[in-house]
Amino acid sequence: APTRDAARRVLAFEDGGDLTLKGKAAPVHAFKFVGMRRGIHTNFWEAKTSLLASWKEWPARPGLASALECLRGRSGVMVITGPGGSGKTELAAQAKAWAKGQNYQLLRGQNMDPTSIFSVPRLPLQEAFSDLVRLAGRDPYWRSVAQELLRVSVGQTG
């Protein structure tokens, strides 16, 4: 029931009625997903963040500054974890702003589905790889490499 109630806050369903399922003694009530509820913001990376960063005593400030300083001038990975409400979205927004200020390309991913109801294994890697492919597709060098690999894969040379 808690999962169903949480889902109903952000997802829209139609009543599917009772279904008789093999292995179940009693009928099971079903629902059909029909979309997101109106007014729900689903692009969490672009969502406005809180004012935590402007709070001088923000506990995450020293760790964030240290992690970002370690990444200055080189590539690296930053993993942000913590319980709900601990400021992960704000940390990610600050890291994104810092990367933009350094003229770095930021590849990002999160392990929550867009509704924030359940986690999805390997989703951060999929999202980061998708960003990487998008960026590579805009770069003339990587476009030419991809074209050459495609030609070789179908038996064309030169």
Side-chain angles (χ1 to χ4, degrees), residues 34-65:
V34 294
M36 300 294 292
R37 286 196 178 274
R38 289 178 170 235
I40 298 297
H41 184 72
T42 58
N43 189 349
F44 295 107
W45 285 100
E46 300 302 325
K48 291 181 181 176
T49 57
S50 72
L51 298 175
L52 283 174
S54 65
W55 176 31
K56 289 184 180 185
E57 301 302 317
W58 185 30
R61 183 183 301 285
L64 176 63

PDB file of all heavy atoms in Angstrom, residues 34-65:
ATOM      1  N   VAL A  34      -1.308   5.317 -17.173  1.00  0.00           N
ATOM      2  CA  VAL A  34      -1.695   6.132 -18.324  1.00  0.00           C
ATOM      3  C   VAL A  34      -0.845   7.391 -18.475  1.00  0.00           C
ATOM      4  O   VAL A  34      -1.022   8.134 -19.422  1.00  0.00           O
ATOM      5  CB  VAL A  34      -3.198   6.501 -18.279  1.00  0.00           C
ATOM      6  CG1 VAL A  34      -4.055   5.261 -18.444  1.00  0.00           C
ATOM      7  CG2 VAL A  34      -3.555   7.250 -17.015  1.00  0.00           C
ATOM      8  N   GLY A  35       0.069   7.657 -17.566  1.00  0.00           N
ATOM      9  CA  GLY A  35       0.954   8.815 -17.710  1.00  0.00           C
ATOM     10  C   GLY A  35       1.267   9.492 -16.394  1.00  0.00           C
ATOM     11  O   GLY A  35       0.843   9.047 -15.327  1.00  0.00           O
ATOM     12  N   MET A  36       2.026  10.585 -16.507  1.00  0.00           N
ATOM     13  CA  MET A  36       2.382  11.382 -15.329  1.00  0.00           C
ATOM     14  C   MET A  36       1.219  12.291 -14.970  1.00  0.00           C
ATOM     15  O   MET A  36       0.497  12.755 -15.851  1.00  0.00           O
ATOM     16  CB  MET A  36       3.608  12.252 -15.620  1.00  0.00           C
ATOM     17  CG  MET A  36       4.855  11.478 -15.998  1.00  0.00           C
ATOM     18  SD  MET A  36       5.501  10.465 -14.668  1.00  0.00           S
ATOM     19  CE  MET A  36       6.056  11.716 -13.544  1.00  0.00           C
ATOM     20  N   ARG A  37       1.067  12.558 -13.688  1.00  0.00           N
ATOM     21  CA  ARG A  37       0.045  13.516 -13.267  1.00  0.00           C
ATOM     22  C   ARG A  37       0.455  14.902 -13.737  1.00  0.00           C
ATOM     23  O   ARG A  37       1.622  15.228 -13.802  1.00  0.00           O
ATOM     24  CB  ARG A  37      -0.099  13.524 -11.757  1.00  0.00           C
ATOM     25  CG  ARG A  37      -0.799  12.312 -11.223  1.00  0.00           C
ATOM     26  CD  ARG A  37      -1.241  12.611  -9.781  1.00  0.00           C
ATOM     27  NE  ARG A  37      -1.955  11.504  -9.250  1.00  0.00           N
ATOM     28  CZ  ARG A  37      -3.260  11.292  -9.409  1.00  0.00           C
ATOM     29  NH1 ARG A  37      -3.976  12.147 -10.090  1.00  0.00           N
ATOM     30  NH2 ARG A  37      -3.838  10.246  -8.896  1.00  0.00           N
ATOM     31  N   ARG A  38      -0.496  15.738 -14.060  1.00  0.00           N
ATOM     32  CA  ARG A  38      -0.212  17.103 -14.499  1.00  0.00           C
ATOM     33  C   ARG A  38       0.479  17.883 -13.387  1.00  0.00           C
ATOM     34  O   ARG A  38       0.174  17.716 -12.218  1.00  0.00           O
ATOM     35  CB  ARG A  38      -1.497  17.826 -14.876  1.00  0.00           C
ATOM     36  CG  ARG A  38      -2.091  17.311 -16.147  1.00  0.00           C
ATOM     37  CD  ARG A  38      -3.381  18.050 -16.427  1.00  0.00           C
ATOM     38  NE  ARG A  38      -3.819  17.710 -17.760  1.00  0.00           N
ATOM     39  CZ  ARG A  38      -4.076  18.606 -18.685  1.00  0.00           C
ATOM     40  NH1 ARG A  38      -3.964  19.877 -18.414  1.00  0.00           N
ATOM     41  NH2 ARG A  38      -4.463  18.223 -19.860  1.00  0.00           N
ATOM     42  N   GLY A  39       1.396  18.737 -13.804  1.00  0.00           N
ATOM     43  CA  GLY A  39       2.066  19.612 -12.850  1.00  0.00           C
ATOM     44  C   GLY A  39       3.262  18.976 -12.163  1.00  0.00           C
ATOM     45  O   GLY A  39       3.918  19.621 -11.363  1.00  0.00           O
ATOM     46  N   ILE A  40       3.566  17.719 -12.474  1.00  0.00           N
ATOM     47  CA  ILE A  40       4.713  17.064 -11.845  1.00  0.00           C
ATOM     48  C   ILE A  40       5.939  17.378 -12.686  1.00  0.00           C
ATOM     49  O   ILE A  40       5.968  17.147 -13.885  1.00  0.00           O
ATOM     50  CB  ILE A  40       4.498  15.537 -11.760  1.00  0.00           C
ATOM     51  CG1 ILE A  40       3.285  15.216 -10.908  1.00  0.00           C
ATOM     52  CG2 ILE A  40       5.751  14.844 -11.233  1.00  0.00           C
ATOM     53  CD1 ILE A  40       3.402  15.639  -9.471  1.00  0.00           C
ATOM     54  N   HIS A  41       6.968  17.919 -12.041  1.00  0.00           N
ATOM     55  CA  HIS A  41       8.224  18.238 -12.723  1.00  0.00           C
ATOM     56  C   HIS A  41       9.073  16.975 -12.756  1.00  0.00           C
ATOM     57  O   HIS A  41       9.403  16.433 -11.713  1.00  0.00           O
ATOM     58  CB  HIS A  41       8.943  19.355 -11.968  1.00  0.00           C
ATOM     59  CG  HIS A  41      10.179  19.807 -12.653  1.00  0.00           C
ATOM     60  ND1 HIS A  41      10.136  20.542 -13.808  1.00  0.00           N
ATOM     61  CD2 HIS A  41      11.484  19.610 -12.373  1.00  0.00           C
ATOM     62  CE1 HIS A  41      11.369  20.793 -14.196  1.00  0.00           C
ATOM     63  NE2 HIS A  41      12.204  20.235 -13.339  1.00  0.00           N
ATOM     64  N   THR A  42       9.420  16.502 -13.951  1.00  0.00           N
ATOM     65  CA  THR A  42      10.165  15.245 -14.041  1.00  0.00           C
ATOM     66  C   THR A  42      11.628  15.420 -14.410  1.00  0.00           C
ATOM     67  O   THR A  42      12.365  14.472 -14.399  1.00  0.00           O
ATOM     68  CB  THR A  42       9.513  14.296 -15.069  1.00  0.00           C
ATOM     69  OG1 THR A  42       9.482  14.956 -16.332  1.00  0.00           O
ATOM     70  CG2 THR A  42       8.129  13.894 -14.641  1.00  0.00           C
ATOM     71  N   ASN A  43      12.069  16.609 -14.749  1.00  0.00           N
ATOM     72  CA  ASN A  43      13.473  16.809 -15.084  1.00  0.00           C
ATOM     73  C   ASN A  43      14.203  17.303 -13.842  1.00  0.00           C
ATOM     74  O   ASN A  43      14.447  18.488 -13.659  1.00  0.00           O
ATOM     75  CB  ASN A  43      13.622  17.804 -16.231  1.00  0.00           C
ATOM     76  CG  ASN A  43      15.030  17.872 -16.732  1.00  0.00           C
ATOM     77  OD1 ASN A  43      15.940  17.331 -16.115  1.00  0.00           O
ATOM     78  ND2 ASN A  43      15.225  18.540 -17.848  1.00  0.00           N
ATOM     79  N   PHE A  44      14.571  16.376 -12.971  1.00  0.00           N
ATOM     80  CA  PHE A  44      15.135  16.731 -11.677  1.00  0.00           C
ATOM     81  C   PHE A  44      16.473  17.437 -11.779  1.00  0.00           C
ATOM     82  O   PHE A  44      16.827  18.214 -10.929  1.00  0.00           O
ATOM     83  CB  PHE A  44      15.254  15.481 -10.798  1.00  0.00           C
ATOM     84  CG  PHE A  44      13.921  14.904 -10.473  1.00  0.00           C
ATOM     85  CD1 PHE A  44      13.500  13.734 -11.057  1.00  0.00           C
ATOM     86  CD2 PHE A  44      13.068  15.549  -9.601  1.00  0.00           C
ATOM     87  CE1 PHE A  44      12.257  13.200 -10.766  1.00  0.00           C
ATOM     88  CE2 PHE A  44      11.827  15.029  -9.306  1.00  0.00           C
ATOM     89  CZ  PHE A  44      11.418  13.851  -9.888  1.00  0.00           C
ATOM     90  N   TRP A  45      17.250  17.168 -12.840  1.00  0.00           N
ATOM     91  CA  TRP A  45      18.558  17.809 -12.972  1.00  0.00           C
ATOM     92  C   TRP A  45      18.429  19.273 -13.284  1.00  0.00           C
ATOM     93  O   TRP A  45      19.324  20.050 -13.000  1.00  0.00           O
ATOM     94  CB  TRP A  45      19.391  17.097 -14.035  1.00  0.00           C
ATOM     95  CG  TRP A  45      19.906  15.816 -13.518  1.00  0.00           C
ATOM     96  CD1 TRP A  45      19.393  14.576 -13.761  1.00  0.00           C
ATOM     97  CD2 TRP A  45      20.999  15.625 -12.631  1.00  0.00           C
ATOM     98  NE1 TRP A  45      20.108  13.630 -13.088  1.00  0.00           N
ATOM     99  CE2 TRP A  45      21.103  14.251 -12.396  1.00  0.00           C
ATOM    100  CE3 TRP A  45      21.903  16.485 -12.023  1.00  0.00           C
ATOM    101  CZ2 TRP A  45      22.079  13.718 -11.578  1.00  0.00           C
ATOM    102  CZ3 TRP A  45      22.871  15.950 -11.211  1.00  0.00           C
ATOM    103  CH2 TRP A  45      22.950  14.589 -10.996  1.00  0.00           C
ATOM    104  N   GLU A  46      17.347  19.672 -13.907  1.00  0.00           N
ATOM    105  CA  GLU A  46      17.158  21.078 -14.249  1.00  0.00           C
ATOM    106  C   GLU A  46      16.255  21.782 -13.242  1.00  0.00           C
ATOM    107  O   GLU A  46      16.007  22.973 -13.374  1.00  0.00           O
ATOM    108  CB  GLU A  46      16.563  21.194 -15.659  1.00  0.00           C
ATOM    109  CG  GLU A  46      17.447  20.582 -16.738  1.00  0.00           C
ATOM    110  CD  GLU A  46      18.840  21.186 -16.798  1.00  0.00           C
ATOM    111  OE1 GLU A  46      18.988  22.393 -16.551  1.00  0.00           O
ATOM    112  OE2 GLU A  46      19.783  20.427 -17.086  1.00  0.00           O
ATOM    113  N   ALA A  47      15.760  21.051 -12.270  1.00  0.00           N
ATOM    114  CA  ALA A  47      14.872  21.654 -11.278  1.00  0.00           C
ATOM    115  C   ALA A  47      15.619  22.687 -10.453  1.00  0.00           C
ATOM    116  O   ALA A  47      16.812  22.603 -10.238  1.00  0.00           O
ATOM    117  CB  ALA A  47      14.309  20.570 -10.356  1.00  0.00           C
ATOM    118  N   LYS A  48      14.888  23.676  -9.980  1.00  0.00           N
ATOM    119  CA  LYS A  48      15.502  24.671  -9.105  1.00  0.00           C
ATOM    120  C   LYS A  48      15.924  23.999  -7.810  1.00  0.00           C
ATOM    121  O   LYS A  48      15.231  23.155  -7.277  1.00  0.00           O
ATOM    122  CB  LYS A  48      14.506  25.790  -8.814  1.00  0.00           C
ATOM    123  CG  LYS A  48      14.203  26.630 -10.020  1.00  0.00           C
ATOM    124  CD  LYS A  48      13.243  27.728  -9.670  1.00  0.00           C
ATOM    125  CE  LYS A  48      12.951  28.544 -10.906  1.00  0.00           C
ATOM    126  NZ  LYS A  48      11.954  29.560 -10.673  1.00  0.00           N
ATOM    127  N   THR A  49      17.044  24.402  -7.307  1.00  0.00           N
ATOM    128  CA  THR A  49      17.552  23.810  -6.078  1.00  0.00           C
ATOM    129  C   THR A  49      17.275  24.736  -4.908  1.00  0.00           C
ATOM    130  O   THR A  49      16.892  25.887  -5.072  1.00  0.00           O
ATOM    131  CB  THR A  49      19.054  23.537  -6.193  1.00  0.00           C
ATOM    132  OG1 THR A  49      19.713  24.762  -6.492  1.00  0.00           O
ATOM    133  CG2 THR A  49      19.348  22.532  -7.288  1.00  0.00           C
ATOM    134  N   SER A  50      17.511  24.207  -3.738  1.00  0.00           N
ATOM    135  CA  SER A  50      17.271  24.986  -2.528  1.00  0.00           C
ATOM    136  C   SER A  50      18.391  25.980  -2.311  1.00  0.00           C
ATOM    137  O   SER A  50      19.310  26.106  -3.106  1.00  0.00           O
ATOM    138  CB  SER A  50      17.170  24.043  -1.332  1.00  0.00           C
ATOM    139  OG  SER A  50      18.451  23.531  -1.036  1.00  0.00           O
ATOM    140  N   LEU A  51      18.345  26.659  -1.226  1.00  0.00           N
ATOM    141  CA  LEU A  51      19.357  27.659  -0.903  1.00  0.00           C
ATOM    142  C   LEU A  51      20.418  27.111   0.044  1.00  0.00           C
ATOM    143  O   LEU A  51      21.101  27.875   0.718  1.00  0.00           O
ATOM    144  CB  LEU A  51      18.678  28.885  -0.286  1.00  0.00           C
ATOM    145  CG  LEU A  51      17.685  29.582  -1.211  1.00  0.00           C
ATOM    146  CD1 LEU A  51      16.990  30.711  -0.469  1.00  0.00           C
ATOM    147  CD2 LEU A  51      18.388  30.124  -2.434  1.00  0.00           C
ATOM    148  N   LEU A  52      20.577  25.798   0.087  1.00  0.00           N
ATOM    149  CA  LEU A  52      21.574  25.216   0.980  1.00  0.00           C
ATOM    150  C   LEU A  52      22.967  25.782   0.732  1.00  0.00           C
ATOM    151  O   LEU A  52      23.720  26.039   1.662  1.00  0.00           O
ATOM    152  CB  LEU A  52      21.619  23.700   0.819  1.00  0.00           C
ATOM    153  CG  LEU A  52      20.495  22.904   1.476  1.00  0.00           C
ATOM    154  CD1 LEU A  52      20.612  21.434   1.110  1.00  0.00           C
ATOM    155  CD2 LEU A  52      20.509  23.076   2.970  1.00  0.00           C
ATOM    156  N   ALA A  53      23.307  25.977  -0.531  1.00  0.00           N
ATOM    157  CA  ALA A  53      24.656  26.439  -0.861  1.00  0.00           C
ATOM    158  C   ALA A  53      24.934  27.831  -0.305  1.00  0.00           C
ATOM    159  O   ALA A  53      26.084  28.177  -0.055  1.00  0.00           O
ATOM    160  CB  ALA A  53      24.874  26.423  -2.362  1.00  0.00           C
ATOM    161  N   SER A  54      23.899  28.617  -0.103  1.00  0.00           N
ATOM    162  CA  SER A  54      24.115  29.966   0.441  1.00  0.00           C
ATOM    163  C   SER A  54      24.235  29.955   1.968  1.00  0.00           C
ATOM    164  O   SER A  54      24.596  30.970   2.564  1.00  0.00           O
ATOM    165  CB  SER A  54      22.980  30.895   0.011  1.00  0.00           C
ATOM    166  OG  SER A  54      21.764  30.459   0.581  1.00  0.00           O
ATOM    167  N   TRP A  55      23.980  28.820   2.588  1.00  0.00           N
ATOM    168  CA  TRP A  55      24.083  28.689   4.046  1.00  0.00           C
ATOM    169  C   TRP A  55      25.549  28.440   4.396  1.00  0.00           C
ATOM    170  O   TRP A  55      26.119  27.409   4.050  1.00  0.00           O
ATOM    171  CB  TRP A  55      23.185  27.541   4.508  1.00  0.00           C
ATOM    172  CG  TRP A  55      23.246  27.201   5.949  1.00  0.00           C
ATOM    173  CD1 TRP A  55      23.498  28.035   6.996  1.00  0.00           C
ATOM    174  CD2 TRP A  55      23.032  25.896   6.516  1.00  0.00           C
ATOM    175  NE1 TRP A  55      23.449  27.349   8.175  1.00  0.00           N
ATOM    176  CE2 TRP A  55      23.172  26.036   7.912  1.00  0.00           C
ATOM    177  CE3 TRP A  55      22.738  24.662   5.995  1.00  0.00           C
ATOM    178  CZ2 TRP A  55      23.019  24.959   8.784  1.00  0.00           C
ATOM    179  CZ3 TRP A  55      22.585  23.602   6.855  1.00  0.00           C
ATOM    180  CH2 TRP A  55      22.722  23.761   8.231  1.00  0.00           C
ATOM    181  N   LYS A  56      26.184  29.384   5.068  1.00  0.00           N
ATOM    182  CA  LYS A  56      27.619  29.292   5.358  1.00  0.00           C
ATOM    183  C   LYS A  56      27.975  28.078   6.212  1.00  0.00           C
ATOM    184  O   LYS A  56      29.076  27.570   6.139  1.00  0.00           O
ATOM    185  CB  LYS A  56      28.111  30.571   6.034  1.00  0.00           C
ATOM    186  CG  LYS A  56      28.139  31.738   5.087  1.00  0.00           C
ATOM    187  CD  LYS A  56      28.709  32.983   5.733  1.00  0.00           C
ATOM    188  CE  LYS A  56      28.702  34.084   4.710  1.00  0.00           C
ATOM    189  NZ  LYS A  56      29.322  35.301   5.153  1.00  0.00           N
ATOM    190  N   GLU A  57      27.052  27.616   7.034  1.00  0.00           N
ATOM    191  CA  GLU A  57      27.312  26.476   7.919  1.00  0.00           C
ATOM    192  C   GLU A  57      26.830  25.149   7.328  1.00  0.00           C
ATOM    193  O   GLU A  57      26.723  24.158   8.038  1.00  0.00           O
ATOM    194  CB  GLU A  57      26.643  26.707   9.276  1.00  0.00           C
ATOM    195  CG  GLU A  57      27.114  27.966   9.990  1.00  0.00           C
ATOM    196  CD  GLU A  57      28.623  27.968  10.226  1.00  0.00           C
ATOM    197  OE1 GLU A  57      29.162  26.927  10.628  1.00  0.00           O
ATOM    198  OE2 GLU A  57      29.252  29.007   9.979  1.00  0.00           O
ATOM    199  N   TRP A  58      26.510  25.129   6.037  1.00  0.00           N
ATOM    200  CA  TRP A  58      26.038  23.907   5.388  1.00  0.00           C
ATOM    201  C   TRP A  58      27.072  22.813   5.593  1.00  0.00           C
ATOM    202  O   TRP A  58      28.228  22.946   5.188  1.00  0.00           O
ATOM    203  CB  TRP A  58      25.816  24.175   3.905  1.00  0.00           C
ATOM    204  CG  TRP A  58      25.226  23.043   3.114  1.00  0.00           C
ATOM    205  CD1 TRP A  58      24.379  22.077   3.549  1.00  0.00           C
ATOM    206  CD2 TRP A  58      25.441  22.792   1.730  1.00  0.00           C
ATOM    207  NE1 TRP A  58      24.042  21.233   2.530  1.00  0.00           N
ATOM    208  CE2 TRP A  58      24.681  21.646   1.395  1.00  0.00           C
ATOM    209  CE3 TRP A  58      26.192  23.397   0.736  1.00  0.00           C
ATOM    210  CZ2 TRP A  58      24.651  21.109   0.111  1.00  0.00           C
ATOM    211  CZ3 TRP A  58      26.151  22.868  -0.544  1.00  0.00           C
ATOM    212  CH2 TRP A  58      25.394  21.737  -0.847  1.00  0.00           C
ATOM    213  N   PRO A  59      26.718  21.713   6.257  1.00  0.00           N
ATOM    214  CA  PRO A  59      27.694  20.663   6.580  1.00  0.00           C
ATOM    215  C   PRO A  59      28.387  20.055   5.361  1.00  0.00           C
ATOM    216  O   PRO A  59      29.517  19.588   5.460  1.00  0.00           O
ATOM    217  CB  PRO A  59      26.868  19.604   7.317  1.00  0.00           C
ATOM    218  CG  PRO A  59      25.684  20.339   7.840  1.00  0.00           C
ATOM    219  CD  PRO A  59      25.403  21.428   6.846  1.00  0.00           C
ATOM    220  N   ALA A  60      27.750  20.059   4.227  1.00  0.00           N
ATOM    221  CA  ALA A  60      28.339  19.452   3.037  1.00  0.00           C
ATOM    222  C   ALA A  60      29.359  20.365   2.350  1.00  0.00           C
ATOM    223  O   ALA A  60      30.114  19.907   1.495  1.00  0.00           O
ATOM    224  CB  ALA A  60      27.239  19.085   2.045  1.00  0.00           C
ATOM    225  N   ARG A  61      29.383  21.638   2.701  1.00  0.00           N
ATOM    226  CA  ARG A  61      30.250  22.599   2.019  1.00  0.00           C
ATOM    227  C   ARG A  61      31.731  22.180   1.996  1.00  0.00           C
ATOM    228  O   ARG A  61      32.343  22.158   0.926  1.00  0.00           O
ATOM    229  CB  ARG A  61      30.107  23.988   2.625  1.00  0.00           C
ATOM    230  CG  ARG A  61      30.940  25.043   1.914  1.00  0.00           C
ATOM    231  CD  ARG A  61      30.839  26.404   2.574  1.00  0.00           C
ATOM    232  NE  ARG A  61      29.483  26.911   2.634  1.00  0.00           N
ATOM    233  CZ  ARG A  61      28.809  27.405   1.591  1.00  0.00           C
ATOM    234  NH1 ARG A  61      29.394  27.462   0.423  1.00  0.00           N
ATOM    235  NH2 ARG A  61      27.591  27.860   1.735  1.00  0.00           N
ATOM    236  N   PRO A  62      32.355  21.825   3.131  1.00  0.00           N
ATOM    237  CA  PRO A  62      33.786  21.471   3.089  1.00  0.00           C
ATOM    238  C   PRO A  62      34.072  20.236   2.230  1.00  0.00           C
ATOM    239  O   PRO A  62      35.043  20.220   1.465  1.00  0.00           O
ATOM    240  CB  PRO A  62      34.140  21.206   4.554  1.00  0.00           C
ATOM    241  CG  PRO A  62      33.067  21.857   5.351  1.00  0.00           C
ATOM    242  CD  PRO A  62      31.841  21.837   4.501  1.00  0.00           C
ATOM    243  N   GLY A  63      33.226  19.215   2.330  1.00  0.00           N
ATOM    244  CA  GLY A  63      33.439  18.003   1.538  1.00  0.00           C
ATOM    245  C   GLY A  63      33.278  18.260   0.057  1.00  0.00           C
ATOM    246  O   GLY A  63      34.051  17.743  -0.766  1.00  0.00           O
ATOM    247  N   LEU A  64      32.293  19.074  -0.300  1.00  0.00           N
ATOM    248  CA  LEU A  64      32.075  19.409  -1.705  1.00  0.00           C
ATOM    249  C   LEU A  64      33.260  20.201  -2.243  1.00  0.00           C
ATOM    250  O   LEU A  64      33.797  19.886  -3.308  1.00  0.00           O
ATOM    251  CB  LEU A  64      30.783  20.206  -1.871  1.00  0.00           C
ATOM    252  CG  LEU A  64      30.481  20.704  -3.288  1.00  0.00           C
ATOM    253  CD1 LEU A  64      30.283  19.541  -4.240  1.00  0.00           C
ATOM    254  CD2 LEU A  64      29.259  21.610  -3.275  1.00  0.00           C
ATOM    255  N   ALA A  65      33.691  21.203  -1.499  1.00  0.00           N
ATOM    256  CA  ALA A  65      34.828  22.020  -1.945  1.00  0.00           C
ATOM    257  C   ALA A  65      36.079  21.161  -2.119  1.00  0.00           C
ATOM    258  O   ALA A  65      36.812  21.311  -3.110  1.00  0.00           O
ATOM    259  CB  ALA A  65      35.083  23.144  -0.945  1.00  0.00           C
TER     260      ALA A  65
END
